[in-house]
Amino acid sequence: MSTKMRTADTRERILTAACEAIAEIGFEKIRMRMVAERAGVSTALLHYHFDTREKLFTEAMTHSFANTATDVERDAGTAPAAVILARIVRNLLPTDPELHQDWRLWQELWVRALRDEATRTFAVDLYAQLHTWVAEAVRRGIASGEFTPTDVDDLCTLVLSLSDGYGIRLMLRDPTVTLDSALASIWRHVSAALGLPESVPVE
């Protein structure tokens, strides 16, 4: 394995370990040593890649989002636009253990952003990236003729807002909200705006 590949592998292990640790015990309780032990690296090597907890946190959040986006759009060039958009909507909710972990990271981000200006700016930027992710999928569907033209930015803002609201209720294990009901509710708004059937596409 080349030095470049070893470095990339080390960063991947560190970021994966950081995501797990932050989701389990919260950012404020995290110590760099804990992440190093979980990743199987020395504390010195961890500090070589990430010199502060704050940098590790922001990189972990970016890493988590990038991995989700890559998996969802693996066949964006061939799959129907509605299927890709439905995948994105599902991935905006805590639909499986990995996304449940991602949601815990987002909750840590929200809390920290209320108290730290740099984190607030980072959180706003991440939301902009999420908005772009949804918007690009909608625009592809409109361009291909699969979707009815609509105000893309307005729809994306609505989708993200609904996803946040339902996601919080699901994370709280609110008995009045289920994953299926949340997904169906969000998709009703999406389908109405884009001229699609109300049933959520399945792959």
Side-chain angles (χ1 to χ4, degrees):
M1 184 183 293
S2 68
T3 300
K4 185 175 181 179
M5 289 177 64
R6 282 197 300 273
T7 299
D9 179 69
T10 298
R11 285 180 63 87
E12 174 77 20
R13 283 190 289 123
I14 290 171
L15 290 171
T16 297
C19 287
E20 292 172 354
I22 294 167
E24 283 180 20
I25 67 174
F27 175 74
E28 298 303 330
K29 295 180 180 178
I30 285 293
R31 298 295 176 265
M32 299 291 264
R33 173 182 50 77
M34 299 175 186
V35 177
E37 290 174 355
R38 188 181 289 249
V41 302
S42 67
T43 304
L45 184 56
L46 174 60
H47 278 285
Y48 171 78
H49 288 282
F50 306 98
D51 54 355
T52 65
R53 283 195 317 153
E54 287 70 20
K55 184 175 181 180
L56 178 61
F57 179 59
T58 55
E59 288 280 352
M61 288 294 305
T62 302
H63 172 77
S64 174
F65 171 62
N67 281 353
T68 298
T70 298
D71 180 62
V72 167
E73 301 208 22
R74 60 188 178 276
D75 56 355
T78 56
V83 169
I84 299 298
L85 186 56
R87 274 188 207 155
I88 290 175
V89 172
R90 285 190 184 92
N91 277 266
L92 291 173
L93 295 170
T95 52
D96 61 33
E98 185 175 340
L99 290 167
H100 193 276
Q101 175 179 289
D102 288 349
W103 258 87
R104 292 180 71 92
L105 292 176
W106 273 99
Q107 290 173 313
E108 289 292 322
L109 179 67
W110 292 334
V111 171
R112 184 159 179 76
L114 294 175
R115 303 188 181 104
D116 178 75
E117 179 61 20
T119 306
R120 185 197 66 78
T121 301
F122 173 69
V124 170
D125 180 66
L126 267 187
Y127 265 107
Q129 291 181 51
L130 280 175
H131 188 100
T132 298
W133 186 36
V134 179
E136 287 179 349
V138 173
R139 289 192 175 103
R140 280 198 302 267
I142 292 173
S144 68
E146 296 175 66
F147 298 164
T148 300
T150 191
D151 184 326
V152 176
D153 287 329
D154 185 65
L155 177 61
C156 293
T157 298
L158 178 62
V159 167
L160 292 178
S161 298
L162 289 171
S163 298
D164 278 351
Y166 279 118
I168 290 169
R169 303 274 293 278
L170 290 167
M171 291 296 289
L172 293 173
R173 298 192 298 276
D174 184 332
T176 66
V177 178
T178 67
L179 187 55
D180 286 343
S181 68
L183 184 58
S185 178
I186 296 170
W187 191 258
R188 275 197 300 273
H189 291 279
V190 171
S191 62
L194 299 177
L196 299 171
E198 277 198 12
S199 58
V200 183
V202 294
E203 300 186 53

